[in-house]
Amino acid sequence: MAVSPPPPPGSSGGSNTVKNIIIGVITTVLASSIVYFLGFQGNHAEKEQVKIRKEATMEAWKSLMFYTKQFADAGARMVCLGDTAEMTNSLINEYDKIIKNISNIEKMDHVDNRLMSLVDRRISTLTDKRKATLNFYDELDALRNVPEDDPAVTGLYQNFLSQISSLEAQDTAFIRGVKEELNKKYEMELEIPGPFIIEPNVLYGDWTVDKVKFLNLKKDGTFSFEIESVNYPGKWSLDNLTIHMNFDDGSNIDFTIKNGSQDLLMAFDNNGNPHFFCR
């Protein structure tokens, strides 16, 4: 009796039809399950990655803000407590510290690229400010025998302030933009240190201003301001962060506080010149 040859692959004959259908069904079910599983896992994994990036980005942001505040606080302490002759080296050392500290943020994993771009930019700006500071001290040293009120000295100082302000201002909009984008992307609220809050009672008492002037702010709203052993009395008031000083001779000056504590204050006068108040 002749034996029929097996049907060719893919034929529709015999029981293979059922077998192929069953295999097809199983394949389809498995394939759809795998696609669903991978899709679900992909979404879950993506959420986990977003969470990791969010946490890493927040930590990097906090580090950036912390190092920036450290730099400002060190500068205030330097003026109040340091030796004038050593301030140049001390300031450059603080620049080196903050640049190194912020550079360490670049080693952190999972930080959002936008924040990394901000870190790169801050390092570049601080490096430029360090260079500008060194150049200023070199040029000032060349004028060491010229009186402080000489136009050459005051002009050099004003140019330096303008250069530093320009370098800092170029990052302001970028920082704000990065902050807004990250807050929106990760549904969070990155915080920039708020304005320094101060009450009148913090100001009462004696201060040295720029290490050579002596100021006493009294509770009754009067003050005495001693410059080169000459006393200039008047009345003072505090408006938010601005100390208004009205001298008895009719002149006046405002000091707007930017940073500090109960013992150290950094403020700017009407002309934008910085001053340091120390206990």
Side-chain angles (χ1 to χ4, degrees), residues 207 209 212-216 223-233 247:
W207 298 88
V209 181
V212 294
K213 307 165 190 174
F214 302 94
L215 174 65
N216 179 265
F223 70 81
S224 59
F225 198 18
E226 184 178 315
I227 304 174
E228 295 181 349
S229 300
V230 178
N231 182 42
Y232 299 89
F247 294 88

Side-chain angles (χ1 to χ4, degrees), residues 34 59 75 90 107 211 232 270:
I34 291 172
E59 189 63 29
S90 297
K107 302 174 185 177
K211 300 193 74 171
Y232 299 89
N270 311 54

Side-chain angles (χ1 to χ4, degrees), residues 65 69 179 190-197 241 257-260:
M65 295 299 103
K69 187 177 187 306
K179 175 178 176 289
L190 294 176
E191 296 182 356
I192 293 177
F196 183 68
I197 298 175
L241 293 176
I257 301 168
K258 296 296 184 180
N259 190 29

Side-chain angles (χ1 to χ4, degrees), residues 140 143-154:
L140 184 64
L143 298 173
R144 58 183 176 274
N145 295 323
V146 178
E148 287 188 2
D149 57 353
D150 187 278
V153 176
T154 57

Side-chain angles (χ1 to χ4, degrees), residues 135-146 153 156:
N135 290 340
F136 167 73
Y137 279 125
D138 287 342
E139 293 177 11
L140 184 64
D141 187 57
L143 298 173
R144 58 183 176 274
N145 295 323
V146 178
V153 176
L156 178 64

